[in-house]
Amino acid sequence: MHGLLTIGELTVDDVVVEDDCADWKQAGGGALYSAVGALVWSNDVALNSVVGTDFPDGLLSSLDASGICLDAVYKSPHALSIGLWLLYESDGTRRQFEKKRGATFADLDRLRASPYTAGLNPLGVHIAPQSSQGQVLALEHLAGRDVVRTMDLLIEPSIDKTPYLDGCVFRELDAFLPSAQEVRDVWGHSDIHALSNWLSEHGSNATLAIKRGSDGVDVLIGGTVTNVPSVVDKLVDPTGAGDAFCGGFLAGLVATGDPIEAAIRGSVSASFVCETRGAVAAAVRIDPEIVERRASKARRLLRKVS
């Protein structure tokens, strides 16, 4: 058996911060940031994605050097890689745009092969934000496998919400980890009790954790909501923080089976991404001493919300 796997996008990002700096050709994507989050807690992390032949070899080398297994990252001759503009205004507002010359999320999701064809056999899998059709495909690849499954959402105008609204993608999940904004975009509210009831009515027993940015993460267990705080010391760039949380959560859930401990580990993972710019830079900064100190802080600051 292998350790942890994240499934989703691997992108080439150009990041522009108003009145500050610009970082060109950074490795990005929800699956990558999730893998970095898992890497905080495990040295056995793999990534399942598709890129085009135009994806820079230097970026792949840097990911490999960070300790992420790329055996299930496929270079397709049939599409270009996804290129993104990430634009930050001085007030922290972020805008994301797909580059016209690159592939779309749906394009590459259709081309992604099962991770099992690469010889991977993970204990836990996080299905990162991507097209809803891509998430359906990922779940099909996992069908019949004894594996812990977690999932997050991507909500953009081009995303087909049908698989979310009919509930089909949630039925086999062990945990569903959306942001409050994503919940509002799909269901029109961010009430964790109401969404949990909706999931139950649609055949899902997934543990529900809603990410609320600097206000931490709310986790619902047995009718009680526990808030797990953010443990970021100094915010530099929030890009990928929610994805990193999901990777840490997966690592914690596989290791302990406890959703609260999983969320604590997710919060710690998110902190490393928030305090630097770029996924690779965050992976380099992982320090076991800081990891344990922040986990202890999060455990002390847990609070019951309802």
Side-chain angles (χ1 to χ4, degrees), residues 9-59:
E9 315 302 350
L10 183 54
T11 64
V12 182
D13 298 348
D14 286 336
V15 183
V16 179
V17 183
E18 184 181 14
D19 298 329
D20 189 353
C21 64
D23 295 317
W24 310 114
K25 294 191 181 304
Q26 300 292 305
L32 173 57
Y33 278 102
S34 299
V36 171
L39 201 64
V40 172
W41 299 98
S42 171
N43 60 7
D44 190 2
V45 178
L47 179 62
N48 180 208
S49 190
V50 177
V51 297
T53 54
D54 60 328
F55 197 91
D57 288 335
L59 291 185

Side-chain angles (χ1 to χ4, degrees), residues 16-242:
V16 179
V17 183
E18 184 181 14
D19 298 329
D20 189 353
C21 64
D23 295 317
W24 310 114
K25 294 191 181 304
Q26 300 292 305
L32 173 57
Y33 278 102
S34 299
V36 171
L39 201 64
V40 172
W41 299 98
S42 171
N43 60 7
D44 190 2
V45 178
L47 179 62
N48 180 208
S49 190
V50 177
V51 297
T53 54
D54 60 328
F55 197 91
D57 288 335
L59 291 185
L60 291 176
S61 296
S62 66
L63 300 182
D64 182 65
S66 74
I68 298 172
C69 173
L70 303 179
D71 290 353
V73 174
Y74 304 96
K75 272 198 170 186
S76 171
H78 305 296
L80 296 173
S81 300
I82 297 171
L84 297 180
W85 287 106
L86 298 178
L87 308 178
Y88 288 89
E89 297 189 29
S90 55
D91 64 358
T93 301
R94 187 185 83 162
R95 292 182 173 88
Q96 175 177 302
F97 303 94
E98 292 182 6
K99 292 186 176 180
K100 290 183 179 179
R101 70 172 298 274
T104 68
F105 282 49
D107 290 337
L108 293 189
D109 292 341
R110 282 192 293 268
L111 296 172
R112 190 176 59 234
S114 166
Y116 296 99
T117 63
L120 301 183
N121 192 20
L123 295 169
V125 174
H126 177 63
I127 303 172
Q130 56 192 276
S131 69
S132 55
Q133 292 82 2
Q135 293 189 316
V136 170
L137 177 63
L139 288 165
E140 289 174 354
H141 288 162
L142 301 177
R145 304 279 183 170
D146 183 16
V147 60
V148 174
R149 298 165 173 83
T150 65
M151 194 176 82
D152 195 0
L153 295 184
L154 172 70
I155 299 300
E156 298 286 348
S158 61
I159 298 293
D160 177 11
K161 297 180 184 178
T162 303
Y164 307 138
L165 294 173
D166 69 17
C168 66
V169 297
F170 306 114
R171 291 171 190 151
E172 301 301 320
L173 296 181
D174 294 280
F176 179 38
L177 312 171
S179 72
Q181 185 58 56
E182 289 156 355
V183 176
R184 283 190 289 269
D185 286 346
V186 178
W187 289 278
H189 64 80
S190 63
D191 185 307
I192 194 168
H193 292 285
L195 180 55
S196 178
N197 290 337
W198 186 94
L199 290 170
S200 180
E201 290 167 1
H202 287 76
S204 174
N205 295 316
T207 294
L208 179 59
I210 296 182
K211 297 170 291 190
R212 301 189 185 276
S214 60
D215 291 328
V217 178
D218 288 342
V219 185
L220 179 61
I221 304 291
T224 299
V225 179
T226 300
N227 180 263
V228 179
S230 168
V231 289
V232 175
D233 278 346
K234 183 179 179 181
L235 178 64
V236 173
D237 182 358
T239 302

